[in-house]
Amino acid sequence: RSLIDTLIYGGIDSLAPELRATLYGHALIAQGDPYEADVVSGEIVRVISFLQNSGYPAVRFDYETGGAFRYTSTNNFEIRLFFETGRLYRLGEIAVKVDPPRDDITDNLALRHLDFKTGDIYSKDLKVTSERNLNRLDLFEAARVDQEAAPESLAGQSIPMRVLVKPQPRNEFAPEVIASNENGALNLGLGVAYTNRNFFGDGRTFSARLQGSSQSII
């Protein structure tokens, strides 16, 4: 069975010592392990994901110098995991766009539910969790957190962010038709549900329901 004879990481020497320690501490492969192509590929994905959440959104695997190379004499492999990390980036100014605009939905309402702020180290996961927070509010049909431009196109080392939200209607009425066989009789009725999203601001939701039904005397 082929083993990993040699394991080399390249292109990450410029990382902070604590960052390198964390990266190496969770490696999926080690020298002497059996060679499995899927596990090696998984380690490449893990390193890229780790660096994308540690301030390096432009990181990529260097396929020209990295890869798995087999020794014909022993049938074992030398694994070279070489990366181009790019520059360290921080999260820049955050712009909020409400489409269509609504006076009761302020920039601060959206900003309070983000898991990051201007000046934080760039993290792809924080974008995802912030987007999830906004969509859980039940105020928006859709909410998206994205960056204004690709890192490679920026002169500085901060990435401007944008938050795009599309509000649901603030007031919503929903008519209801009621039918049941309670007490062994045919029961018919009508109802209406009312929902106010952003009730007195601060992302609150108020709901009320009124129902009426009639039942046969028999």
Side-chain angles (χ1 to χ4, degrees):
R1 188 177 189 181
S2 298
L3 303 176
I4 297 177
D5 182 271
T6 306
L7 176 60
I8 304 171
Y9 288 83
I12 57 177
D13 295 337
S14 61
L15 299 180
E18 62 273 13
L19 209 58
R20 291 202 307 273
T22 303
L23 188 150
Y24 292 137
H26 295 83
L28 301 179
I29 56 176
Q31 190 170 329
D33 287 352
Y35 170 75
E36 297 180 49
D38 289 347
V39 179
V40 173
S41 297
E43 175 65 359
I44 294 172
V45 171
R46 183 193 71 86
V47 172
I48 289 176
S49 177
F50 174 78
L51 292 176
Q52 285 178 334
N53 292 312
S54 303
Y56 296 91
V59 61
R60 72 176 189 87
F61 183 71
D62 186 354
Y63 285 95
E64 294 183 4
T65 54
F69 303 89
R70 186 170 67 89
Y71 298 121
T72 55
S73 56
T74 62
N75 205 39
N76 291 335
F77 280 81
E78 176 180 310
I79 307 299
R80 304 175 193 165
L81 302 183
F82 290 178
F83 299 88
E84 293 183 6
T85 62
R87 292 183 293 176
L88 175 69
Y89 286 90
R90 293 183 178 272
L91 295 163
E93 294 296 324
I94 306 170
V96 178
K97 181 180 180 182
V98 182
D99 183 27
R102 235 173 65 186
D103 293 338
D104 62 298
I105 299 181
T106 63
D107 290 359
N108 185 58
L109 175 60
L111 294 174
R112 284 194 300 104
H113 291 86
L114 302 181
D115 286 337
F116 61 87
K117 62 183 182 301
T118 298
D120 286 351
I121 294 292
Y122 180 94
S123 171
K124 186 177 180 180
D125 279 353
L126 291 183
K127 289 169 48 182
V128 174
T129 58
S130 296
E131 195 169 283
R132 189 179 299 132
N133 292 344
L134 292 170
N135 282 301
R136 283 176 177 167
L137 287 177
D138 195 33
L139 290 179
F140 311 116
E141 290 183 15
R144 190 169 80 250
V145 178
D146 207 349
Q147 53 201 49
E148 290 282 4
E152 299 85 350
S153 66
L154 299 170
Q157 289 184 255
S158 68
I159 302 177
M161 304 298 294
R162 61 185 173 191
V163 179
L164 306 175
V165 294
K166 183 177 182 182
Q168 295 196 66
R170 184 171 188 180
N171 298 292
E172 186 174 64
F173 290 88
E176 301 174 343
V177 176
I178 302 166
S180 73
N181 63 347
E182 186 180 355
N183 297 328
L186 176 62
N187 307 285
L188 296 175
L190 298 174
V192 62
Y194 169 70
T195 302
N196 182 300
R197 297 181 176 89
N198 209 23
F199 185 65
F200 287 115
D202 207 31
R204 301 181 185 89
T205 299
F206 171 79
S207 297
R209 173 174 283 112
L210 176 66
Q211 294 178 330
S213 63
S214 65
Q215 185 181 80
S216 164
I217 294 178
I218 298 176

